[in-house]
Short mmCIF file of all heavy atoms in Angstrom, two decimals:
data_model
loop_
_atom_site.label_atom_id
_atom_site.label_comp_id
_atom_site.label_asym_id
_atom_site.label_seq_id
_atom_site.Cartn_x
_atom_site.Cartn_y
_atom_site.Cartn_z
N ARG A 181 112.47 -36.61 204.05
CA ARG A 181 111.55 -36.84 205.16
C ARG A 181 112.10 -36.24 206.45
O ARG A 181 111.37 -35.59 207.22
CB ARG A 181 111.31 -38.34 205.35
CG ARG A 181 110.18 -38.67 206.33
CD ARG A 181 109.85 -40.16 206.29
NE ARG A 181 108.63 -40.44 207.03
CZ ARG A 181 108.57 -40.60 208.35
NH1 ARG A 181 109.67 -40.54 209.09
NH2 ARG A 181 107.41 -40.85 208.94
N ALA A 182 113.40 -36.42 206.68
CA ALA A 182 114.03 -35.87 207.89
C ALA A 182 114.00 -34.34 207.87
O ALA A 182 113.78 -33.70 208.91
CB ALA A 182 115.46 -36.37 208.01
N ALA A 183 114.19 -33.73 206.69
CA ALA A 183 114.23 -32.28 206.59
C ALA A 183 112.85 -31.65 206.77
O ALA A 183 112.73 -30.53 207.29
CB ALA A 183 114.81 -31.87 205.23
N LEU A 184 111.80 -32.35 206.35
CA LEU A 184 110.46 -31.76 206.36
C LEU A 184 109.62 -32.14 207.57
O LEU A 184 108.61 -31.51 207.85
CB LEU A 184 109.70 -32.18 205.09
CG LEU A 184 110.30 -31.70 203.76
CD1 LEU A 184 109.56 -32.33 202.59
CD2 LEU A 184 110.26 -30.19 203.65
N LEU A 185 110.03 -33.17 208.29
CA LEU A 185 109.21 -33.68 209.38
C LEU A 185 108.98 -32.65 210.48
O LEU A 185 107.91 -32.61 211.09
CB LEU A 185 109.86 -34.94 209.96
CG LEU A 185 108.95 -35.88 210.76
CD1 LEU A 185 107.74 -36.29 209.94
CD2 LEU A 185 109.72 -37.11 211.22
N SER A 186 109.95 -31.79 210.73
CA SER A 186 109.80 -30.82 211.82
C SER A 186 108.77 -29.74 211.49
O SER A 186 108.08 -29.23 212.37
CB SER A 186 111.16 -30.17 212.12
OG SER A 186 111.66 -29.52 210.97
N THR A 187 108.66 -29.39 210.21
CA THR A 187 107.71 -28.33 209.81
C THR A 187 106.38 -28.90 209.33
O THR A 187 105.38 -28.18 209.28
CB THR A 187 108.31 -27.46 208.70
OG1 THR A 187 108.70 -28.31 207.60
CG2 THR A 187 109.54 -26.72 209.20
N ILE A 188 106.36 -30.16 208.95
CA ILE A 188 105.13 -30.80 208.48
C ILE A 188 104.94 -32.07 209.31
O ILE A 188 105.22 -33.18 208.86
CB ILE A 188 105.20 -31.12 206.97
CG1 ILE A 188 105.58 -29.87 206.18
CG2 ILE A 188 103.86 -31.68 206.47
CD1 ILE A 188 105.71 -30.07 204.70
N PRO A 189 104.45 -31.94 210.55
CA PRO A 189 104.39 -33.09 211.46
C PRO A 189 103.45 -34.20 211.02
O PRO A 189 103.60 -35.34 211.44
CB PRO A 189 103.96 -32.46 212.79
CG PRO A 189 103.30 -31.18 212.43
CD PRO A 189 104.00 -30.69 211.19
N TRP A 190 102.46 -33.88 210.17
CA TRP A 190 101.52 -34.93 209.78
C TRP A 190 102.16 -36.00 208.91
O TRP A 190 101.56 -37.05 208.65
CB TRP A 190 100.28 -34.34 209.10
CG TRP A 190 100.52 -33.46 207.90
CD1 TRP A 190 100.51 -32.11 207.88
CD2 TRP A 190 100.75 -33.88 206.55
NE1 TRP A 190 100.74 -31.63 206.61
CE2 TRP A 190 100.88 -32.71 205.77
CE3 TRP A 190 100.86 -35.10 205.91
CZ2 TRP A 190 101.12 -32.74 204.40
CZ3 TRP A 190 101.10 -35.14 204.54
CH2 TRP A 190 101.23 -33.98 203.80
N LEU A 191 103.41 -35.78 208.47
CA LEU A 191 104.11 -36.82 207.73
C LEU A 191 104.38 -38.05 208.60
O LEU A 191 104.62 -39.15 208.08
CB LEU A 191 105.43 -36.29 207.17
CG LEU A 191 105.33 -35.33 205.97
CD1 LEU A 191 106.70 -34.82 205.58
CD2 LEU A 191 104.66 -36.02 204.78
N ALA A 192 104.36 -37.86 209.91
CA ALA A 192 104.59 -38.99 210.82
C ALA A 192 103.32 -39.81 211.03
O ALA A 192 103.37 -40.87 211.66
CB ALA A 192 105.11 -38.49 212.16
N GLU A 193 102.19 -39.33 210.52
CA GLU A 193 100.92 -40.04 210.70
C GLU A 193 100.65 -40.95 209.51
O GLU A 193 101.09 -40.68 208.38
CB GLU A 193 99.77 -39.03 210.85
CG GLU A 193 99.95 -38.06 212.01
CD GLU A 193 98.94 -36.93 211.98
OE1 GLU A 193 98.05 -36.97 211.09
OE2 GLU A 193 99.02 -36.02 212.81
N ARG A 194 99.91 -41.99 209.75
CA ARG A 194 99.53 -42.91 208.68
C ARG A 194 98.49 -42.25 207.78
O ARG A 194 97.58 -41.57 208.25
CB ARG A 194 98.97 -44.20 209.29
CG ARG A 194 98.63 -45.26 208.26
CD ARG A 194 98.13 -46.52 208.95
NE ARG A 194 97.78 -47.54 207.97
CZ ARG A 194 97.33 -48.74 208.28
NH1 ARG A 194 97.19 -49.07 209.57
NH2 ARG A 194 97.02 -49.61 207.34
N ALA A 195 98.64 -42.45 206.47
CA ALA A 195 97.71 -41.85 205.53
C ALA A 195 96.31 -42.45 205.70
O ALA A 195 96.16 -43.67 205.71
CB ALA A 195 98.19 -42.08 204.10
N PRO A 196 95.29 -41.60 205.87
CA PRO A 196 93.92 -42.14 205.99
C PRO A 196 93.47 -42.74 204.66
O PRO A 196 93.87 -42.27 203.58
CB PRO A 196 93.09 -40.90 206.35
CG PRO A 196 93.90 -39.73 205.88
CD PRO A 196 95.33 -40.13 205.96
N ALA A 197 92.67 -43.78 204.74
CA ALA A 197 92.15 -44.42 203.52
C ALA A 197 91.25 -43.45 202.77
O ALA A 197 90.38 -42.81 203.36
CB ALA A 197 91.38 -45.68 203.88
N ARG A 198 91.47 -43.33 201.47
CA ARG A 198 90.66 -42.42 200.69
C ARG A 198 89.23 -42.95 200.55
O ARG A 198 88.27 -42.18 200.66
CB ARG A 198 91.30 -42.22 199.31
CG ARG A 198 92.55 -41.36 199.39
CD ARG A 198 93.17 -41.13 198.04
NE ARG A 198 92.24 -40.60 197.06
CZ ARG A 198 92.60 -40.19 195.85
NH1 ARG A 198 93.88 -40.25 195.51
NH2 ARG A 198 91.72 -39.74 195.00
N VAL A 199 89.09 -44.22 200.27
CA VAL A 199 87.76 -44.84 200.20
C VAL A 199 87.79 -46.05 201.12
O VAL A 199 88.43 -47.06 200.79
CB VAL A 199 87.40 -45.27 198.77
CG1 VAL A 199 85.99 -45.84 198.73
CG2 VAL A 199 87.52 -44.09 197.81
N PRO A 200 87.16 -45.99 202.29
CA PRO A 200 87.19 -47.13 203.22
C PRO A 200 86.67 -48.40 202.57
O PRO A 200 85.85 -48.36 201.64
CB PRO A 200 86.28 -46.66 204.37
CG PRO A 200 86.27 -45.18 204.28
CD PRO A 200 86.41 -44.84 202.82
N PHE A 201 87.12 -49.52 203.08
CA PHE A 201 86.75 -50.82 202.52
C PHE A 201 85.23 -51.02 202.54
O PHE A 201 84.65 -51.50 201.56
CB PHE A 201 87.44 -51.94 203.33
CG PHE A 201 87.04 -53.32 202.90
CD1 PHE A 201 87.51 -53.87 201.72
CD2 PHE A 201 86.17 -54.07 203.69
CE1 PHE A 201 87.12 -55.14 201.31
CE2 PHE A 201 85.79 -55.35 203.29
CZ PHE A 201 86.26 -55.89 202.10
N LEU A 202 84.58 -50.63 203.63
CA LEU A 202 83.13 -50.81 203.72
C LEU A 202 82.40 -49.94 202.69
O LEU A 202 81.37 -50.36 202.15
CB LEU A 202 82.65 -50.49 205.13
CG LEU A 202 83.05 -51.48 206.23
CD1 LEU A 202 82.52 -51.02 207.58
CD2 LEU A 202 82.54 -52.89 205.90
N ALA A 203 82.93 -48.74 202.43
CA ALA A 203 82.31 -47.88 201.42
C ALA A 203 82.45 -48.50 200.04
O ALA A 203 81.51 -48.45 199.22
CB ALA A 203 82.95 -46.49 201.45
N ARG A 204 83.61 -49.08 199.77
CA ARG A 204 83.81 -49.75 198.48
C ARG A 204 82.87 -50.95 198.35
O ARG A 204 82.29 -51.18 197.29
CB ARG A 204 85.28 -50.19 198.38
CG ARG A 204 85.62 -50.96 197.11
CD ARG A 204 85.37 -50.17 195.88
NE ARG A 204 86.31 -49.10 195.70
CZ ARG A 204 86.19 -48.15 194.79
NH1 ARG A 204 85.13 -48.16 193.99
NH2 ARG A 204 87.09 -47.20 194.67
#
Side-chain angles (χ1 to χ4, degrees):
R181 190 171 190 277
L184 297 173
L185 200 54
S186 59
T187 56
I188 307 179
W190 55 260
L191 287 176
E193 302 170 5
R194 184 177 179 180
R198 287 182 53 173
V199 183
F201 176 74
L202 290 179
R204 178 60 71 190

